Amino acid sequence: MRSRILLIEDDPGAGTALQKVIKAEGYEVDWVTRGEDALRRVAEQGYQLVVTDLKLPGLSGLELVRRFHASHPKLPLILMTAHGTTETAIEAMKFGAFEYLTKPFEVEELLSVVAEGVASSLKMSEPVPLGAQGSEVRGLVGRSRPMQVLYKEIGRAAATSATVLIRGATGTGKELVARAVYQHSDRSDRPFVAINCAAIPQSLLESELFGHERGAFTSAAVQRIGRFEQAQGGTLFLDEIGDLPLDTQVKLLRVLQEKAFHRVGGDRLLTADVRVIAATHRDLDAAIQQKDFREDLFYRLSVVTIRVPTLSERAEDIPELVKHFIQKYAPELDIASPSIQSEALEALSRHPWPGNVRELENVVRRSLLLARPLAVSAAHVRQALTTSSQTGAPAALPHAAYVQQLLDRAVNGELVDVYWRMVRELEIELFTQAMQRADGNQTKAARWLGITRLKLRERLAEWERS
């Protein structure tokens, strides 16, 4: 089901253009011209995001933010504002706005913020069922003993307000666990804000977490609200906490101890009524020994610790997971009656799955793509697994090491097409991940890749035929 967005813009020309641009990304967009109409629409219908101009006839954008945050605190709201009203937009963010855009802005900037806002909304509103059956599109799937232990740990963590540290290998579903803890906690009616500490440059991470004052550094043209302020009263999920720089670790520790912080370049102490959930795939005990992670921060974060089992530890869940992913991707691939042969299911169950559930998901999707419209066979699974192991190599190894591995095989006479193999494997992985992140939206994926949608469609069709 497509995400629904409410646009509030009193200028007919701007409203028409914005509605058209956002609709082209695959969203449903309703457009109103007044804040009063927006309040009524949101009360009557469900939306994942609101995009509004700050200056409106009647009810102002600032008052609109106040009212929305009071009645729908989990609904992200993006403000569009002129340069002269930037300070007002910042005030609006203090009242709970998700982000603001200063006019004139680029279409790409708008679409990027819209995508972030919708993703944030889905994380708060899309339920994470525990022990979900294959009919569920999303959720923690599995009824094995390790998963039963995990569900109990989630329940215990949700019943407290303590910080939580989620530990587990890459691809095991740590973010789903974090969302489950949030959704079952007494803060489930407040915001859930997620940040990947490894995905943000170190120079920007502190500002992203705590915000900054105008003039705090060279590019700080305006004041900015950080993630702690955005999550006020709710939950902040710090993914890949093991990659947090040491100097930022010190400041995070202070926030956890004192429940207060300063924006970068600021001297005003701000309170932090935020529950922190952190996750990492790193061995933090080893990182502490190597002085890469602070021991005192570790103890502050791990008041409650949840360990997510690897897929090899719960191999009995694989058949249920396979059926789950088949039902998830069949509509996307336009397969009316998806099925899988018993030999294929057995082949999937025997595989060691170093990439855990994420790797299994990718292989099932590729198998469906290869088999379409037939039942998935063991041959399809073997081909998908071969592609997975090849395309997974660049992610598991530095590029130089992967190139050396391919060249070694060429020297030994095992390969004769190293160049084309390298290019094809990286391209398949790049396009596949882009499509997954875009939820199948080819226009969005093509824009991220910097190519035309026609080029993307041609390449996808070529791989289907190969």
Side-chain angles (χ1 to χ4, degrees), residues 48 66 164 293-294 323 325 355 357 367:
Q48 279 71 54
R66 284 195 185 98
V164 179
F293 201 84
R294 292 183 62 96
K323 293 174 184 176
F325 292 131
V357 179
S367 298

Side-chain angles (χ1 to χ4, degrees), residues 150 164-169 172 174 177 278-286 288 298 302 305-309:
L150 177 62
V164 179
L165 178 63
I166 303 170
R167 308 182 73 169
T172 50
K174 294 186 291 296
V177 172
T280 182
H281 72 282
R282 291 189 63 189
D283 183 349
L284 292 187
D285 301 287
I288 290 170
F298 171 77
S302 59
T305 299
I306 297 177
R307 180 183 172 277
V308 187

Side-chain angles (χ1 to χ4, degrees), residues 202-256:
Q202 291 189 10
S203 58
L204 301 176
L205 187 54
E206 187 178 338
S207 172
E208 191 74 19
L209 286 170
F210 308 117
H212 63 250
E213 298 292 351
R214 182 177 182 177
F217 44 87
T218 306
S219 59
V222 296
Q223 184 190 68
R224 182 162 187 82
I225 304 301
R227 301 295 189 184
F228 267 94
E229 284 183 81
Q230 286 186 352
Q232 188 71 1
T235 301
L236 178 62
F237 175 49
L238 302 176
D239 200 5
E240 300 301 350
I241 191 73
D243 294 302
L244 203 66
L246 281 169
D247 56 346
T248 310
Q249 290 180 32
V250 174
K251 294 174 181 177
L252 175 59
L253 176 63
R254 188 176 303 127
V255 177
L256 295 176

Side-chain angles (χ1 to χ4, degrees), residues 164-445:
V164 179
L165 178 63
I166 303 170
R167 308 182 73 169
T170 299
T172 50
K174 294 186 291 296
E175 183 178 314
L176 278 177
V177 172
R179 284 173 50 202
V181 171
Y182 156 73
Q183 290 176 3
H184 290 81
S185 74
D186 60 3
R187 292 179 182 247
S188 60
D189 61 338
R190 309 301 296 175
F192 176 84
V193 178
I195 180 171
N196 188 321
C197 300
I200 299 173
Q202 291 189 10
S203 58
L204 301 176
L205 187 54
E206 187 178 338
S207 172
E208 191 74 19
L209 286 170
F210 308 117
H212 63 250
E213 298 292 351
R214 182 177 182 177
F217 44 87
T218 306
S219 59
V222 296
Q223 184 190 68
R224 182 162 187 82
I225 304 301
R227 301 295 189 184
F228 267 94
E229 284 183 81
Q230 286 186 352
Q232 188 71 1
T235 301
L236 178 62
F237 175 49
L238 302 176
D239 200 5
E240 300 301 350
I241 191 73
D243 294 302
L244 203 66
L246 281 169
D247 56 346
T248 310
Q249 290 180 32
V250 174
K251 294 174 181 177
L252 175 59
L253 176 63
R254 188 176 303 127
V255 177
L256 295 176
Q257 290 174 332
E258 302 174 4
K259 304 296 183 183
F261 64 96
H262 296 88
R263 296 195 193 104
V264 177
D267 54 12
R268 187 160 66 95
L269 193 64
L270 303 170
T271 59
D273 177 19
V274 176
R275 191 213 190 151
V276 172
I277 301 176
T280 182
H281 72 282
R282 291 189 63 189
D283 183 349
L284 292 187
D285 301 287
I288 290 170
Q289 293 296 321
Q290 296 164 5
K291 307 299 182 183
D292 289 333
F293 201 84
R294 292 183 62 96
E295 187 174 14
D296 46 5
L297 176 59
F298 171 77
Y299 289 123
R300 278 284 176 180
L301 291 171
S302 59
V303 176
V304 177
T305 299
I306 297 177
R307 180 183 172 277
V308 187
T310 63
L311 189 52
S312 61
E313 292 176 293
R314 58 184 191 105
E316 63 194 89
D317 290 328
I318 290 176
E320 189 176 347
L321 282 162
V322 170
K323 293 174 184 176
H324 169 89
F325 292 131
I326 285 176
Q327 292 181 353
K328 174 181 177 180
Y329 287 112
E332 174 191 317
L333 300 175
D334 197 24
I335 302 173
S337 302
S339 60
I340 184 169
Q341 296 177 1
S342 58
E343 294 83 358
L345 198 56
E346 185 179 348
L348 290 168
S349 297
R350 288 198 308 264
H351 191 70
W353 300 113
N356 292 294
V357 179
R358 187 178 299 155
E359 183 187 4
L360 173 64
E361 181 175 3
N362 289 337
V363 168
V364 170
R365 186 178 184 278
R366 285 176 179 148
S367 298
L368 281 170
L369 191 62
L370 291 166
R372 191 174 65 175
L374 306 174
V376 174
S377 68
H380 295 135
V381 168
R382 284 194 293 270
Q383 187 175 349
L385 282 169
T386 301
T387 306
S388 175
S389 63
Q390 290 170 346
T391 56
L397 295 171
H399 287 166
Y402 182 55
V403 169
Q404 182 179 358
Q405 183 185 88
L406 287 180
L407 288 174
D408 286 344
R409 294 177 64 189
V411 170
N412 294 331
E414 299 174 22
L415 296 176
V416 293
D417 58 348
V418 168
Y419 174 78
W420 292 112
R421 181 180 290 268
M422 180 84 177
V423 170
R424 184 174 185 275
E425 289 171 1
L426 286 174
E427 190 176 56
I428 289 174
E429 187 65 25
L430 179 64
F431 281 38
T432 299
Q433 288 200 28
M435 285 292 289
Q436 288 174 347
R437 289 198 174 197
D439 293 326
N441 187 314
Q442 293 184 359
T443 301
K444 191 182 297 184

